[in-house]
Amino acid sequence: MTHSLHRLGNISSLRSEFIVLTFGHSRRSKGVFESKKATFQKKNPGIYKIAKNGYKSLKIDRIIKKIKDVKNRDKNVGPYVIKTKGELYQCLKKIKRAKNGRSVVVSGIIDDIDDCLKKLDLRMHTVQYSLGYFGKTELLPDSNILEMTTMCGHHMISPELVKKLARDIKRGKLTSKEASSSMEKLCVCKIFNKDRATDVFERMKKSTNTESII
Amino acid sequence: MIIDTEKCTGCMKCVPYCGFNAIFREGDKCHIDLDNCVECYVCLKSEICPENAFLEVFLEWPRNLRHTFSSVHAKFTGLGMDGRGTAEMKTNDVTGRFRLGEIGITIDVGRPGVGTKFMDVERIAMALARRGVEFEPQNPTTSLMVDTTTGRFREDVKSERVLSCIIEFKTTEDKLLEIIETLNEVSREIDTVFSVGCISRCRPDGTVPIKEKLDSAGIYYRPNGKVNVGLGRPLAD
């Protein structure tokens, strides 16, 4: 799956989020691991999780509690959105201390993640880069809209909905926060970052270029 | 997905929720353009319709592929696998799937939000197959190919439209630049977009071999990406 890989945004905006996902593994043999993984994936396709309320930006201690919970030993825990580099450092420090052999994947600004790891005497194991968009890119909406729609990794948020909400905000029918909350509900795996979306709506509201939202 | 016209009042509240402009109003009722619809079910799951007029209908092969590849809620039961792709690099610290000198490529066709027909996916796959690429067997997109050595797809699926699907394969680092060149070439022949991901196992000191290759070739990559932090314990065997 590549759903948090291709998030669009400027550096300062992308610096305000790290998405953490952890994978539990059976500790027996490779064969058992593969068969457990297959069974788990059959029951829970991919890393999809249906959470009903709010995007998952839990306090670090709650994330760690879930990771340490024996019931979750073979399960995926996350994804969670962590908002600062400092919090990411704290989170990784506690996961490292837990020593439960989980695979941990963080999406975000790679240099920032690397910094955190070095401070913890860890090194990046494997990296996945996004090489961007290819093909008929003229079919893509403008960058503000794309910044919103790529926050939902499964693309459950339509560009037309973003445009409509931006219009409603300009007309005073909604606040940027209310608009972001209404979009958040559509993101099933809950990595849609409501706070970042509110900022983008504010940016769109101030923009004199109304063409992109009309 | 269809709209029950007995229930629909034509309020059009649902229209912006569709990412493919597949909902339209004719007379005083809304309808779904079934050619454009990718069966993602966002219209239904958003619960935006005050009359509950969206009706989930049984999807026959090959139309059910639309739902499988486009909906978060779908299970890939027809082809015996789940999800749209594999775990890629996420568990590489445990599985050792990508080793030093190897790279993984993920091509998310139709992403972000444009959608694709499998005929365009086939064009990309065939261009890559000519470069000798071996497609990931545990991937649903690969399972739609009749011949993985040519990248040719089943005839009956080519007109089906999905939100996106992933072409996955592993190759060696020395082939990275020719793969990117191939992708640039084929990108001019398709009627959609695709997002490319490139996976590299890091050296023990945490440096990334392909970063140097990309930098020296002047190939763009985003500052944000995914990092496996290496806390997984490798399997004993």
Side-chain angles (χ1 to χ4, degrees):
Chain A
M1 292 297 300
T2 56
H3 71 325
S4 61
L5 178 66
H6 303 291
R7 282 163 98 90
L8 198 70
N10 60 40
I11 297 244
S12 64
S13 169
L14 290 169
R15 279 222 146 99
S16 65
E17 62 178 19
F18 298 92
I19 297 149
V20 176
L21 174 62
T22 76
F23 291 76
H25 304 290
S26 163
R27 308 299 331 147
R28 289 177 233 173
S29 69
K30 198 168 184 176
V32 174
F33 167 67
E34 292 302 337
S35 106
K36 276 196 167 229
K37 191 175 147 202
T39 312
F40 177 70
Q41 283 183 339
K42 253 183 194 162
K43 288 181 187 161
N44 308 273
I47 52 169
Y48 309 148
K49 289 182 146 206
I50 298 171
K52 297 214 161 145
N53 304 307
Y55 80 104
K56 289 198 263 178
S57 181
L58 293 186
K59 288 207 163 118
I60 291 167
D61 286 343
R62 282 198 60 198
I63 299 175
I64 303 301
K65 197 175 166 191
K66 279 178 176 263
I67 285 171
K68 285 183 175 172
D69 192 332
V70 194
K71 284 187 295 207
N72 295 329
R73 194 181 56 188
D74 297 343
K75 295 180 184 172
N76 302 345
V77 173
Y80 297 106
V81 181
I82 288 176
K83 292 178 188 170
T84 66
K85 194 174 158 183
E87 283 176 321
L88 177 69
Y89 170 79
Q90 288 302 329
C91 184
L92 292 175
K93 187 178 171 182
K94 289 180 179 179
I95 297 175
K96 184 187 173 195
R97 203 180 288 158
K99 287 185 182 169
N100 60 6
R102 285 181 164 271
S103 291
V104 179
V105 177
V106 185
S107 300
I109 298 287
I110 295 172
D111 288 346
D112 287 355
I113 300 166
D114 194 26
D115 276 352
C116 287
L117 293 178
K118 281 176 181 157
K119 282 180 194 157
L120 290 165
D121 201 24
L122 293 169
R123 297 291 176 266
M124 298 196 292
H125 182 279
T126 310
V127 168
Q128 186 171 20
Y129 288 108
S130 168
L131 305 190
Y133 308 137
F134 290 65
K136 233 177 181 174
T137 50
E138 62 270 28
L139 295 173
L140 296 172
D142 84 18
S143 59
N144 280 329
I145 292 168
L146 214 46
E147 192 168 341
M148 298 280 207
T149 58
T150 56
M151 273 190 233
C152 170
H154 296 96
H155 281 276
M156 297 292 105
I157 293 166
S158 120
E160 290 305 314
L161 180 63
V162 180
K163 288 183 202 171
K164 182 203 176 291
L165 292 171
R167 278 197 302 270
D168 286 350
I169 292 165
K170 279 217 168 187
R171 287 169 187 161
K173 289 185 185 173
L174 280 176
T175 65
S176 297
K177 205 170 174 178
E178 286 164 344
S180 305
S181 297
S182 70
M183 290 200 299
E184 179 195 21
K185 290 172 193 161
L186 298 168
C187 178
V188 174
C189 62
K190 302 298 167 198
I191 59 167
F192 182 82
N193 186 337
K194 190 171 70 173
D195 298 335
R196 224 181 108 206
T198 304
D199 292 343
V200 181
F201 272 134
E202 283 297 306
R203 201 191 306 150
M204 289 168 87
K205 190 175 153 186
K206 285 175 196 153
S207 164
T208 50
N209 176 17
T210 52
E211 212 173 61
S212 66
I213 58 168
I214 290 172
Chain B
M1 186 64 61
I2 58 167
I3 292 174
D4 182 346
T5 50
E6 293 290 312
K7 288 182 176 176
C8 177
T9 60
C11 72
M12 296 178 74
K13 281 184 181 167
C14 56
V15 172
Y17 282 78
C18 177
F20 294 88
N21 299 316
I23 305 175
F24 65 99
R25 194 162 110 161
E26 198 173 79
D28 57 356
K29 305 284 180 186
C30 287
H31 304 269
I32 293 178
D33 174 345
L34 292 178
D35 189 45
N36 270 348
C37 173
V38 296
E39 306 286 359
C40 64
Y41 291 12
V42 168
C43 49
L44 175 76
K45 300 288 179 191
S46 68
E47 299 176 337
I48 188 64
C49 179
E51 308 300 327
N52 293 320
F54 286 99
L55 276 181
E56 191 178 340
V57 291
F58 180 75
L59 302 171
E60 301 270 358
W61 176 270
R63 189 168 179 91
N64 58 358
L65 287 174
R66 295 186 183 224
H67 181 58
T68 310
F69 280 92
S70 308
S71 171
V72 184
H73 307 276
K75 286 187 178 183
F76 216 116
T77 49
L79 295 164
M81 51 186 78
D82 293 320
R84 296 184 319 129
T86 65
E88 296 153 5
M89 49 73 84
K90 298 188 196 83
T91 52
N92 198 40
D93 48 355
V94 171
T95 61
R97 184 176 170 193
F98 302 101
R99 296 175 188 276
L100 274 170
E102 295 177 331
I103 55 165
I105 301 283
T106 55
I107 302 160
D108 216 321
V109 192
R111 192 185 191 97
V114 172
T116 183
K117 288 196 171 182
F118 283 111
M119 59 182 73
D120 271 334
V121 186
E122 182 189 62
R123 282 190 187 107
I124 300 166
M126 289 182 81
L128 291 165
R130 285 193 287 274
R131 294 281 192 184
V133 155
E134 288 178 27
F135 301 103
E136 165 59 48
Q138 293 301 309
N139 171 293
T141 308
T142 307
S143 70
L144 299 176
M145 295 177 191
V146 285
D147 182 354
T148 53
T149 60
T150 61
R152 201 157 61 80
F153 275 57
R154 296 170 58 129
E155 284 302 321
D156 58 348
V157 305
K158 286 186 192 175
S159 298
E160 293 305 327
R161 190 165 190 231
V162 295
L163 194 149
S164 67
C165 66
I166 307 172
I167 298 173
E168 268 182 83
F169 57 91
K170 192 167 89 165
T171 184
T172 46
E173 251 173 55
D174 57 306
K175 291 195 174 143
L176 174 65
L177 299 183
E178 69 180 55
I179 295 290
I180 294 171
E181 189 189 322
T182 304
L183 293 175
N184 274 321
E185 282 164 14
V186 75
S187 72
R188 293 188 280 273
E189 297 165 20
I190 55 167
D191 198 24
T192 184
V193 294
F194 56 89
S195 304
V196 178
C198 185
I199 297 163
S200 176
R201 169 78 166 92
C202 303
R203 298 186 186 101
D205 64 359
T207 55
V208 194
I210 58 158
K211 187 176 188 291
E212 293 149 22
K213 260 193 190 321
L214 293 170
D215 284 340
S216 64
I219 292 166
Y220 171 80
Y221 55 95
R222 290 232 178 85
N224 56 314
K226 275 187 189 175
V227 177
N228 180 321
V229 308
L231 285 172
R233 280 196 294 269
L235 292 159
D237 52 342

